[in-house]
Amino acid sequence: MSAKRRRQKDSSFTPALVFLNLLIIGVIALMIFFIYRFITSEDNAASERTTPAPRTSRVVTEIEISEEAEEITTTQIPISMTKAITTTPASVTSSGNENNERIEIKFTEYDPDFFKDDLFIGDSIMTGISGFGFIPAENVYAKVGLNPESLLNTEIDGKTALQKIKDFKPRNIYIMLGTNGLDFMSGEYMAQGLGIFIDDIISFGINSNIIVMTIPPVTEAHDAEGKETMTDINVYNSYLIDMAAEKGCKLVDICSILKNSTGYFSDKYAEQDGLHFLGTAYKAVLGYLQEELQ
Amino acid sequence: MKRLKIILLTGLMLIGISCFTACEGSNEISLENQPNTADIANAVMEAVDFPSATAKTINDLNNYIDLEIENIYQMSYYICGSGAYPDELLILKLKDKSYSEDAKKAIQKKLDSQIETYRDYTPDEMYKLDGAKIIVKNNWVFFFATADNDKTEEIINSYF
């Protein structure tokens, strides 16, 4: 082999060898890098598997309500002994004005524990009591569109209202229902429907207090739409008062505490649609209920 | 020379294979390095009108949608607390993308129920449900029915 060719042979290997070495080193480095990332991502995934937050356990402790349950601090009055009470808030006084102005009552405080054994039954308005988080969902049996007629046959989460009551065994049952029926049912008919439901509760032998709540007002703007009007609300509420008296149930007039001085739903309580509640309304209602029942 | 070419070609192939696996590996961002659901939700809440927006926790979730909580790494959930409107925003960051399809089915069931409820109850609000969307992005599932569904989707997409 000539010297020249020998030199070429020698020199031709040098850059190739360097390149090859660099290539191999690069490949090995890349492999190490990605193996490391793979290992660390596995570790992160393992540590991120946090224990799921515990499902909400029922706030209410199931209480076997019986005649011997004297330890229940709130008064548990057998239904047969109650007299229907048409309550007007004690702190509301008539100003003596011919327009019947009312002083707005401000109930802003309530004790959630007071209601922990109670069940709230109602329509979309009642869904908000748990929607806003004031009362746990387990203590609410409510559905959009529910009315006194459909209450008897509707199921929510696979249960009728009576089944829910039977399973839940509430201390108090609050019923606020009728807004959805105003447009197509008479107040008298709806009150009768609620009366039938109350009869069913009693016939089940459930020893819970039943509290009938008047349905809430609407704003003047909503009233003007003609679907749910204060005239119909007032008529229906008067039938509710009579029905509650007939059945021996307590009645709580929440409608009156939510009105403004002109007799419509107060803006400080009313949702944009003039029918549903803001959070302030639920606080007011719960505070008033607690005061009435304590 | 021929040997050199073979070595070089082999090396290039190895580099190519390494790059391919590298690219595949870089698409799998760890859960903690993915966006935070709260950030996305807050961005939507600031931009879109949402009446009586009430945040719900993971403990409340099953009262509204039948989802497997164990599969959720992080979530943000808003409803209209008053019950007057069908507005809803759910952002799920699941632990693995294999859970996404089941989550989507559960949410679709909820959406169908909402449509049935609100169709007769508040027809004026149906536009929110008619334009509602369930979007899956790997291990992320988004559900929204808002006054501006297009804007909501735009905000969500800006994070991915």
Side-chain angles (χ1 to χ4, degrees):
Chain A
M1 186 186 294
S2 67
K4 185 180 177 183
R5 285 194 69 182
R6 195 179 298 115
R7 279 198 299 275
Q8 283 177 340
K9 184 182 176 192
D10 289 338
S11 65
S12 67
F13 271 105
T14 304
L17 275 173
V18 170
F19 177 76
L20 186 61
N21 284 331
L22 286 172
L23 189 66
I24 293 169
I25 291 167
V27 167
I28 293 170
L30 268 172
M31 287 175 63
I32 291 169
F33 173 70
F34 289 114
I35 290 170
Y36 173 75
R37 278 199 65 185
F38 176 77
I39 292 169
T40 54
S41 66
E42 285 267 318
D43 288 340
N44 285 340
S47 66
E48 287 158 5
R49 285 189 201 101
T50 56
T51 304
R55 291 176 184 271
T56 303
S57 58
R58 260 186 56 181
V59 172
V60 176
T61 303
E62 287 201 26
I63 298 176
E64 289 297 319
I65 298 175
S66 66
E67 292 179 1
E68 291 79 33
E70 298 294 339
E71 64 273 18
I72 297 174
T73 55
T74 55
T75 304
Q76 188 174 354
I77 304 169
I79 295 166
S80 60
M81 289 178 62
T82 56
K83 290 183 181 178
I85 301 169
T86 303
T87 62
T88 52
S91 53
V92 174
T93 56
S94 170
S95 65
N97 188 300
E98 287 180 0
N99 293 325
N100 196 27
E101 287 184 354
R102 291 185 179 79
I103 299 170
E104 288 190 26
I105 300 165
K106 294 179 181 177
F107 292 98
T108 58
E109 300 293 329
Y110 74 98
D111 179 6
D113 281 344
F114 180 83
F115 299 98
K116 66 182 178 63
D117 301 324
D118 299 345
L119 182 67
F120 292 81
I121 295 176
D123 49 30
S124 59
I125 299 174
M126 196 61 92
T127 66
I129 211 169
S130 60
F132 276 118
F134 293 114
I135 297 290
E138 293 86 355
N139 296 60
V140 180
Y141 185 90
K143 186 175 179 179
V144 172
L146 200 63
N147 62 59
E149 186 181 54
S150 62
L151 174 65
L152 301 174
N153 300 312
T154 295
E155 286 189 2
I156 300 175
D157 294 332
K159 289 186 182 180
T160 63
L162 284 174
Q163 286 170 339
K164 174 70 177 182
I165 291 169
K166 198 177 177 188
D167 294 343
F168 196 82
K169 299 181 180 58
R171 178 192 58 157
N172 296 321
I173 302 169
Y174 305 95
I175 306 173
M176 188 176 78
L177 213 51
T179 299
N180 284 309
L182 289 173
D183 195 33
F184 59 95
M185 288 190 281
S186 73
E188 185 179 11
Y189 178 74
M190 287 199 291
Q192 285 173 354
L194 270 190
I196 292 171
F197 176 65
I198 290 172
D199 287 339
D200 287 346
I201 295 174
I202 296 170
S203 69
F204 254 88
I206 297 167
N207 194 23
S208 302
N209 298 313
I210 299 175
I211 294 96
V212 177
M213 298 160 65
T214 54
I215 64 170
V218 293
T219 60
E220 191 170 1
H222 190 95
D223 184 281
E225 292 172 14
K227 194 176 173 190
E228 291 90 18
T229 66
M230 283 310 303
T231 302
D232 290 339
I233 289 169
N234 290 334
V235 166
Y236 174 56
N237 282 340
S238 68
Y239 280 112
L240 280 180
I241 293 169
D242 293 340
M243 183 276 291
E246 180 191 330
K247 301 298 177 186
C249 298
K250 186 173 178 65
L251 182 126
V252 177
D253 184 16
I254 64 107
C255 184
S256 61
I257 69 159
L258 297 175
K259 289 179 183 175
N260 60 17
S261 59
T262 61
Y264 290 100
F265 201 0
S266 170
D267 287 341
K268 74 174 188 180
Y269 296 135
E271 173 62 283
Q272 293 174 23
D273 65 354
L275 181 78
H276 289 82
F277 290 7
L278 293 175
T280 49
Y282 292 106
K283 287 183 190 175
V285 167
L286 289 169
Y288 182 43
L289 282 173
Q290 185 171 347
E291 178 170 293
E292 285 295 300
L293 294 176
Q294 274 180 336
Chain B
M1 196 60 189
K2 187 178 178 183
R3 188 190 290 179
L4 178 61
K5 285 178 185 174
I6 292 170
I7 292 169
L8 282 172
L9 278 171
T10 307
L12 283 169
M13 278 174 57
L14 283 172
I15 290 173
I17 292 167
S18 299
C19 287
F20 179 74
T21 54
C23 289
E24 275 294 300
S26 68
N27 279 346
E28 297 296 327
I29 303 170
S30 67
L31 290 170
E32 64 181 11
N33 290 326
Q34 294 176 11
N36 191 301
T37 60
D39 292 339
I40 303 173
N42 290 338
V44 172
M45 286 296 151
E46 284 175 12
V48 175
D49 181 47
F50 198 117
S52 295
T54 305
K56 289 296 178 185
T57 69
I58 198 161
N59 289 337
D60 303 318
L61 189 57
N62 282 155
N63 292 322
Y64 298 93
I65 307 176
D66 190 18
L67 286 165
E68 289 294 334
I69 294 177
E70 293 81 6
N71 299 338
I72 301 172
Y73 176 75
Q74 196 178 64
M75 67 146 242
S76 292
Y77 184 36
Y78 284 87
I79 64 167
C80 171
S82 68
Y85 304 103
D87 298 63
E88 205 161 351
L89 173 67
L90 173 64
I91 301 174
L92 295 175
K93 188 198 297 186
L94 300 171
K95 292 176 179 176
D96 189 83
K97 61 183 179 184
S98 62
Y99 305 133
S100 298
E101 201 50 41
D102 283 345
K104 183 181 176 184
K105 285 179 187 170
I107 296 167
Q108 184 64 57
K109 192 175 170 186
K110 168 67 190 290
L111 177 56
D112 293 342
S113 171
Q114 289 287 84
I115 290 172
E116 194 181 322
T117 297
Y118 281 92
R119 180 182 288 120
D120 296 325
Y121 186 66
T122 48
D124 292 346
E125 294 291 309
M126 278 305 294
Y127 74 95
K128 295 175 182 176
L129 293 169
D130 289 337
K133 288 191 180 175
I134 304 170
I135 298 174
V136 176
K137 292 179 185 289
N138 287 319
N139 62 311
W140 288 74
V141 181
F142 303 88
F143 166 53
F144 49 90
T146 69
D148 193 341
N149 287 313
D150 290 338
K151 183 69 179 175
T152 304
E153 185 174 5
E154 182 187 320
I155 292 169
I156 288 168
N157 287 337
S158 69
Y159 282 83
F160 294 89

